[in-house]
């Protein structure tokens, strides 16, 4: 019988625990963790993510700011805004929502974020720490997936983990986190040949490609664990994952639903890392 990995319930549990830690930090150090989310343009999916992030941050007792900028803002203007938040001691986490409009070089913007406030873990200093086995700030989606695997006591050591998708946001950091826990990791992508032959060897299959219902039961072996990072709209605008849940559910051992799987955990890890950044700033006497 398949087990559904309930990311929504786990996220709620973790956010309640986090709100208590935030209260304790407030009373011991008078520090309120501060998160700023910068959104450029009016991409509808990004608007939804940003609203959810804001709601969760306020509920957990954070100071939450959202900066909404017009899509024609220049790269230099955006750099100046990020620099302003780098200097602001009441802000411990800066997130610039991706994707950015084409005329803005996202690599330059990521490099501008103070690595200590880079709660997305996208700055090369943080990716470097991750790849050298000393993670500090880790991309939130893969971090949330590791929490889900741990909560459901899914063994990782010695298992074959296959990832579909090699983005900097999910695929690459996911590979590193699984490797750090002694999985054998295969990273597949759009140019991979015979992908089904590889995915059907997976004990753990992570799918992050953004193609609705791409993975069906002929991609997996019996008893595999399937983690679905996809967020796609079908023809009726219904939210669907990269995995075909109905087709897979009788073959796999665990699966994450969409919605209610990976998504809520991403936000939880964002808040957790902002809290950790605030906590470190107290220790380092930056306030
Ligand atoms: N766009 C999609 N996912 C993410 C994320 O985790 N962080 C940021 N900054 N942008 C995203």
């Amino acid at each position: 019988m398949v087990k559904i990995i309930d990311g929504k319930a786990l996220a709620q549990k973790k956010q309640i625990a986090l709100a208590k830690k935030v209260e304790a930090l407030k009373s011991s150090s008078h520090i309120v963790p501060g998160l700023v989310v910068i959104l450029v343009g009016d991409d509808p999916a990004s608007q939804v993510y940003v609203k959810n992030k804001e709601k969760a941050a306020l509920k957990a007792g954070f100071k939450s700011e959202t900066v909404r900028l017009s899509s024609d803002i220049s790269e230099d203007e955006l750099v100046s805004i990020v620099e302003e938040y780098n200097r602001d001691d009441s802000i411990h986490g800066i997130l610039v929502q991706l994707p950015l409009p084409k005329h803005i070089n996202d690599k330059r913007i990521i490099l501008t974020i103070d690595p200590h406030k880079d709660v997305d873990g996208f700055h090369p200093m943080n990716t470097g720490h991750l790849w050298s086995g000393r993670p500090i700030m880790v991309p939130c989606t893969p971090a949330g997936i590791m929490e889900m695997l741990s909560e459901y006591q899914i063994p990782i050591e010695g298992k074959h983990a296959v990832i579909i998708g090699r983005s900097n946001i999910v695929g690459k950091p996911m590979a590193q986190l699984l490797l750090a826990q002694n999985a054998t990791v295969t990273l597949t992508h759009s140019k991979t040949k015979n992908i089904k032959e590889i995915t059907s060897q997976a004990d753990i299959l992570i799918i992050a490609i953004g193609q609705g219902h791409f993975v069906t039961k002929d991609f997996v072996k019996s008893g595999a664990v399937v983690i679905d990072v996809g967020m796609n709209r079908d023809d009726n605008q219904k939210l669907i994952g990269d995995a075909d849940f109905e087709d897979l559910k009788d073959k796999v051992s665990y699966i994450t639903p969409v919605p209610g799987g990976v998504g809520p955990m991403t936000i939880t890890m964002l808040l957790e890392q902002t809290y950790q950044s605030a906590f470190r700033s107290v220790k380092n006497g930056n306030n």
Side-chain angles (χ1 to χ4, degrees):
M1 191 53 189
V2 68
K3 294 198 180 74
I4 311 275
I5 300 181
D6 189 342
K8 193 172 167 192
L10 180 58
Q12 272 164 3
K13 185 170 101 176
K14 289 203 167 287
Q15 286 179 27
I16 289 167
L18 183 60
K20 291 200 177 114
K21 290 197 286 186
V22 169
E23 268 311 308
L25 187 67
K26 278 184 199 168
S27 19
S28 65
S29 317
H30 306 288
I31 297 294
V32 180
L35 171 68
V36 61
V37 175
I38 300 173
L39 174 62
V40 183
D42 48 15
D43 174 60
S46 293
Q47 302 261 16
V48 175
Y49 292 143
V50 166
K51 205 168 258 168
N52 288 339
K53 283 171 191 165
E54 195 172 31
K55 219 163 73 185
L58 287 173
K59 204 166 158 200
F62 286 56
K63 170 184 158 162
S64 168
E65 271 187 49
T66 304
V67 181
R68 290 184 166 79
L69 301 167
S70 149
S71 59
D72 59 9
I73 189 171
S74 74
E75 192 177 297
D76 285 345
E77 281 174 292
L78 184 55
V79 165
S80 300
I81 290 167
V82 171
E83 284 172 343
E84 220 173 276
Y85 285 103
N86 283 344
R87 290 189 293 269
D88 183 341
D89 284 343
S90 73
I91 292 294
H92 307 95
I94 301 172
L95 180 147
V96 179
Q97 184 69 28
L98 302 177
L100 287 167
K102 285 206 168 41
H103 68 279
I104 296 178
N105 177 353
D106 55 4
K107 290 190 180 60
R108 179 174 171 217
I109 302 303
I110 289 168
L111 270 174
T112 304
I113 299 172
D114 177 346
H116 300 97
K117 298 188 178 187
D118 169 38
V119 281
D120 257 329
F122 293 165
H123 190 287
M125 194 175 107
N126 285 317
T127 54
H129 282 310
L130 175 61
W131 280 86
S132 60
R134 215 170 65 90
I136 300 174
M137 302 276 205
V138 179
C140 299
T141 299
I145 292 171
M146 295 309 286
E147 289 287 326
M148 291 198 287
L149 294 174
S150 161
E151 174 77 10
Y152 283 80
Q153 296 177 6
I154 292 166
I156 298 172
E157 184 163 308
K159 299 295 179 189
H160 188 189
V162 176
I163 302 161
I164 315 182
R166 57 174 154 179
S167 70
N168 291 330
I169 298 182
V170 184
K172 285 189 223 163
M174 188 78 249
Q176 185 54 39
L177 290 171
L178 288 162
L179 193 58
Q181 294 205 13
N182 300 318
T184 301
V185 180
T186 305
L187 197 47
T188 68
H189 48 80
S190 55
K191 303 284 188 286
T192 299
K193 295 202 167 63
N194 305 324
I195 195 159
K196 282 185 196 173
E197 269 173 36
I198 301 169
T199 58
S200 58
Q201 295 169 32
D203 300 305
I204 302 170
L205 179 63
I206 318 260
I207 319 151
I209 47 164
Q211 282 191 47
H213 290 180
F214 179 80
V215 169
T216 46
K217 62 176 181 248
D218 47 330
F219 280 71
V220 300
K221 73 173 177 191
S222 283
V225 175
V226 173
I227 307 287
D228 186 353
V229 183
M231 289 271 212
N232 314 284
R233 299 272 169 193
D234 71 5
D235 295 341
N236 302 315
Q237 293 305 304
K238 190 175 155 234
L239 199 58
I240 59 167
D242 289 349
D244 188 336
F245 184 96
E246 284 305 314
D247 194 50
L248 288 166
K249 72 180 192 327
D250 296 326
K251 191 168 181 188
V252 301
S253 59
Y254 288 90
I255 189 166
T256 59
V258 176
V262 173
M265 283 305 294
T266 299
I267 293 179
T268 306
M269 299 318 290
L270 173 71
L271 298 181
E272 179 66 38
Q273 295 200 121
T274 305
Y275 165 81
Q276 294 295 342
S277 170
F279 187 79
R280 279 195 293 269
S281 81
V282 175
K283 267 202 327 202
N284 297 336
N286 290 346
N287 286 279

